[in-house]
Amino acid sequence: MTASPDDQDRLQELVGALTRAAASAPAHGAEIEGAAGAVAAVDRLDGTAQAVAGSTALFAGDGSLLEEASPEVTPVEGNTLFDMASVTKVVTALTAGTLIDDGLLDPEAPIREYLPSPHPAITARHLLTHTAGLPPVMPLWRLAGDREARLAAVSRAHLEAAPGSVHAYSCIGFILLGALLEGLTDTPLPELARVRVLDPAGAMTAGWAPAPPQAQRAAATEYQEDPPRGLVRGATHDETAWSLGGSGNAGLFATLEDALAIGRVLAGRAPGPTLSDAVRTLMTTDQLPGVSTDAPWRQGLGLRVGQESAPGVLLPRVVGHPGFTGTSVLADPTTGTVATLLTNRVHPRRTWFTVDRSRRELARIAFA
């Protein structure tokens, strides 16, 4: 069906403003609202509006603008792949939800029943709700050894709080969750998520580590010096996830349609996967009513519950997750509306651009 013209116009202005700001930005180092490339969409039961703007790469390593004739400067299109960063956690959580429904994962059981861990009190619920007491990040790329050695370091990580006592966002917790799901099923997480979530949802081009032809379509992210990777494009931006290969905290790539397909799962109107009402309730309602948090949103099982439409103004029904690279997937299960914003705001440096106001504007367009 035809989307609302108002949705279409407002989305086009949103992505246009972001990319115009980036294209006119001097080499500054001061954070402004902008991104080299951006796509956005609002998907309602009566139609979908979407907008596309910008370039997949815009800056050289020294921060200067690339020449328009440079082969790196290609227009963002509907099939451009974006590094979804922590939106990956949505797919990891959905994968865990299918295993809970199948009786393969008990969210209340200690994880040491499933994999080696020196922490007897940590459960899958703690990992999914960021209450395990684990540190937020670890520089795993600096550790010698292979993937197994780095995962072993994660499992031995020193706890910063007693499990269940504090809500503190932790990528390390979702790395451990991904390892847990792999151990339960003897299947690498990217393959497990493909079979259980992405294919059933219709996110046919989403996945970890895109093949070279697809990677060339990806939006560029950051010029990295630690680790010394140069321009990261078509490979995972998050250094820790990159050092592990397939990881539960970051590493998913997706197109605009893939992101909408994932959002439709959260909204409860995707062709699959089929989740029980009990698991959906765990994911889409606050699981920490007695735990204080400085965040404006509340915490479901793997999802954030509530989205700001203005500073301090929360839309409580909206669930989803943002990503550090400038992405977000949102859904309102009560209306079926889905919204997504995909950008590469970390190009050329993570400190140059933000998309915080644009995320709030997207929430106003879609849900307010």
Side-chain angles (χ1 to χ4, degrees):
M1 296 182 182
T2 303
S4 161
D6 185 53
D7 282 352
Q8 189 69 52
D9 291 345
R10 293 173 72 187
L11 289 175
Q12 194 61 58
E13 176 54 33
L14 186 157
V15 299
L18 281 171
T19 56
R20 288 192 299 272
S24 62
H28 49 76
E31 197 173 64
I32 65 171
E33 189 82 3
V39 298
V42 173
D43 183 66
R44 305 186 192 278
L45 294 177
D46 60 354
T48 302
Q50 63 184 56
V52 179
S55 173
T56 57
L58 193 61
F59 298 96
D62 62 1
S64 62
L65 286 171
L66 291 166
E67 297 288 337
E68 288 188 16
S70 171
E72 290 91 352
V73 180
T74 57
V76 168
E77 299 175 337
N79 65 352
T80 297
L81 284 170
F82 285 83
D83 183 322
M84 301 298 288
S86 282
V87 176
T88 304
K89 293 179 175 69
V90 173
V91 176
T92 303
L94 288 168
T95 303
T98 68
L99 294 173
I100 293 171
D101 270 340
D102 288 350
L104 298 175
L105 174 63
D106 179 354
E108 311 299 342
I111 62 170
R112 70 187 313 176
E113 293 185 9
Y114 304 113
L115 80 170
S117 171
H119 306 302
I122 294 179
T123 66
R125 171 186 276 275
H126 290 139
L127 300 177
L128 282 157
T129 57
H130 299 281
T131 56
L134 288 162
V137 294
M138 293 172 64
L140 298 181
W141 67 93
R142 297 176 185 161
L143 299 183
D146 58 9
R147 183 176 192 266
E148 293 307 312
R150 288 167 175 162
L151 286 175
V154 168
S155 69
R156 297 192 304 267
H158 175 72
L159 298 187
E160 298 183 349
S165 64
V166 175
H167 176 259
Y169 186 76
S170 174
C171 286
I172 297 305
F174 262 74
I175 289 171
L176 193 57
L177 176 65
L180 170 62
L181 303 184
E182 290 181 333
L184 275 176
T185 60
D186 197 28
T187 305
L189 179 62
E191 180 181 343
L192 185 66
R194 161 70 54 206
V195 172
R196 285 187 164 264
V197 176
L198 297 175
D199 280 353
M204 306 309 295
T205 53
W208 284 252
Q214 289 182 305
Q216 293 171 3
R217 302 203 314 263
T221 55
E222 191 172 21
Y223 289 91
Q224 290 189 351
E225 298 172 357
D226 180 20
R229 302 170 66 194
L231 178 62
V232 179
R233 185 171 189 170
T236 303
H237 170 263
D238 181 275
E239 304 93 332
T240 302
W242 166 77
S243 74
L244 292 169
S247 172
N249 73 305
L252 182 74
F253 283 78
T255 65
L256 179 63
E257 184 51 46
D258 293 329
L260 288 175
I262 294 166
R264 292 182 193 112
V265 179
L266 305 185
R269 61 186 188 90
T274 302
L275 295 172
S276 68
D277 290 344
V279 165
R280 284 193 173 279
T281 298
L282 289 173
M283 296 187 74
T284 59
T285 60
D286 181 16
Q287 296 300 297
L288 305 175
V291 178
S292 63
T293 173
D294 293 333
W297 42 269
R298 299 300 300 175
Q299 183 67 59
L301 208 69
L303 301 181
R304 295 186 180 185
V305 180
Q307 167 64 37
E308 280 191 316
S309 60
V313 179
L314 201 70
L315 301 173
R317 302 184 312 274
V318 178
V319 300
H321 212 288
F324 184 76
T325 50
T327 57
S328 58
V329 172
L330 303 170
D332 184 346
T334 64
T335 65
T337 298
V338 174
T340 186
L341 174 66
L342 308 183
T343 81
N344 59 341
R345 70 100 196 160
V346 295
H347 174 69
R349 296 284 188 267
R350 65 187 66 189
T351 55
W352 276 36
F353 300 112
T354 180
V355 294
D356 290 344
R357 293 200 307 272
S358 299
R359 283 173 171 153
R360 292 193 289 266
E361 174 62 15
L362 177 69
R364 288 192 292 271
I365 294 170
F367 307 110

